[in-house]
Amino acid sequence: MAIWEDYYKRFKIEPDSVRSGCEPRIMVQDSPTEKAIILIHGLTDSPFFMEAIGECFDQWGYNVFIPLLAGHGLEAPEYLKGVTMEAWIENVDFAIQEAKDKYKCQLISIGGLSTGGTLSVLRMFDSPNDITGGIFLFSAALDIAGRTGNLKEKLLRTYIISEILAQIEDRFEKDLIGDNPYRYSRMDNDGARELSKLIDKVDDHLKNLKQDDINQPIFVAHSEYDSAADIQGVEALIAKSDRNKTEFFRIGKNFHVPHASVVLKEDVLAKNGSPLEPKNPFFDKMMNAVNKFQKKHC
């Protein structure tokens, strides 16, 4: 797996400004291939979270592109102030164009964790001529879990209230850099507001569709224990999809697999070696299911 030098150049990112382990990644086959996948990390985290899944697709003969979303993975972040969903979409679209233009890939799949899943579904809807392969969603944030989450989503859609909340957090909360080397220590209000807008855009597409209207292959992995992204969001997507081209890898609530852990092959450790985020005990089984799905549909 290599650091994605073209990505740094395109978005004018200074390599020294990115935290070690959070860099944009690229994996290219030794021989030309028509297959590529774009893997997108979630809100507050980094390409590290998509690395283990990317390595699997690399072994299956894909060129793999893992962009670093604007505002993320920085050594000295100033929260996510001023970040926009349009910037994230531009990050993703650059990866798609790299796969098509530079590496001549014709069968392009897309997927991601949480917000990365939301962006993947949106690109499926808005760029159907570009996304010609499968959609691979891991804890996709197509809905916000719990009553508290729903309330915060509504508040974040109101700019003035959001700015007040942000000022309070800026004054009283710790810096975004915490013990986790691969994600920020908390959710940023500006970023959460942009995620809310992304979810709205996906909802606008879904409400105009009927059952079986979505023809692209969709693989979903989601934990019933997820307290961040409501599982009903991905269920609503599957309900509008061709059942012959969908698969749902559902992890039962009693297994206590949290939101981001779905994509983790190994535990995430703090700088002092203490455990921070547990691995998905079903990771290998999940990726075996992904492999069978991509062989059949991609």
Side-chain angles (χ1 to χ4, degrees), residues 16 82 112-113 127 143 145 176 240:
D16 291 345
L113 164 67
S127 302
D143 197 0
L176 285 181
K240 301 294 180 71

Side-chain angles (χ1 to χ4, degrees), residues 214-264:
I214 300 174
N215 293 317
Q216 284 177 285
I218 299 178
F219 182 96
V220 170
H222 211 100
S223 172
E224 294 175 349
Y225 186 74
D226 195 326
S227 62
D230 199 316
I231 200 168
Q232 292 181 355
V234 290
E235 289 174 337
L237 177 70
I238 288 178
K240 301 294 180 71
S241 304
D242 183 342
R243 298 302 176 92
N244 295 317
K245 296 181 181 180
T246 61
E247 184 168 346
F248 199 149
F249 189 89
R250 184 188 292 259
I251 301 172
K253 188 172 185 178
N254 292 339
F255 293 108
H256 298 168
V257 177
H259 179 68
S261 290
V262 169
V263 299
L264 295 178

